[in-house]
Amino acid sequence: MSMMLPANCPAPLSQKPTLPTGLSITRRSRFAVKANGSASIQARTVARSVLALMLGTGDSAERTTRRIENCLTELVAIAYTRTRGHDMLCEVWLDSEHVFISVEHDEALPVHADQTTVGLNVVKTIADDYGTHINGTIHQTWAAIRRV
């Protein structure tokens, strides 16, 4: 007797993606990237592996992953301009309908137009919602993307 997976269950992975040493997957994963010019690429690379484990494979997962990668790339680029430290903390988590991403930074995003607002316009276009939380002196800019 063969067992059928429920329709809403993600397809099993053809092979387990490799993750950076020390990174484990739950419904919420945090990882640090170096605060330098390649931070966006670093974050995107780690997020792709994390999302493959969280979302599984298939066309729907791939479309969602691409939206998240593009949005995360912009968030990290924005946060990098507002970070004084050596590392930036990124986070990916999900619920039944959305994937959430966030990046921590030291300074508030600008209120008036500058180069950062161009990146925020990209985030606004990709994400279903976004915002910034302040926890003491740390700012966390986040975005929510509906799973397709």
Side-chain angles (χ1 to χ4, degrees):
M1 176 186 229
S2 66
M3 188 172 205
M4 297 293 292
L5 292 173
N8 63 351
C9 182
L13 296 172
S14 58
Q15 66 180 21
K16 185 176 179 180
T18 58
L19 294 171
T21 304
L23 183 65
S24 62
I25 299 300
T26 62
R27 293 185 67 78
R28 184 178 209 107
S29 291
R30 300 178 81 163
F31 54 93
V33 296
K34 295 291 179 197
N36 59 32
S38 65
S40 291
I41 295 168
Q42 294 173 53
R44 187 180 186 114
T45 301
V46 174
R48 176 159 275 284
S49 297
V50 168
L51 291 164
L53 292 170
M54 287 180 166
L55 299 174
T57 59
D59 290 340
S60 177
E62 183 62 27
R63 282 192 306 273
T64 301
T65 297
R66 286 186 182 175
R67 287 180 65 205
I68 293 162
E69 286 177 330
N70 291 331
C71 194
L72 181 62
T73 297
E74 291 299 326
L75 284 181
V76 171
I78 293 164
Y80 172 59
T81 66
R82 307 295 177 194
T83 299
R84 293 183 301 269
H86 297 287
D87 295 314
M88 297 180 350
L89 188 61
C90 301
E91 194 164 6
V92 177
W93 71 100
L94 52 94
D95 65 15
S96 61
E97 295 181 11
H98 297 89
V99 176
F100 301 89
I101 54 177
S102 70
V103 181
E104 292 183 0
H105 46 97
D106 300 312
E107 300 171 11
L109 299 181
V111 176
H112 301 290
D114 75 354
Q115 289 181 347
T116 302
T117 57
V118 172
L120 282 175
N121 286 332
V122 174
V123 171
K124 288 178 193 178
T125 301
I126 297 170
D128 295 297
D129 198 7
Y130 81 100
T132 298
H133 292 292
I134 301 170
N135 185 6
T137 61
I138 299 297
H139 297 77
Q140 181 188 51
T141 301
W142 58 272
I145 296 172
R146 186 172 299 280
R147 294 165 71 174
V148 292

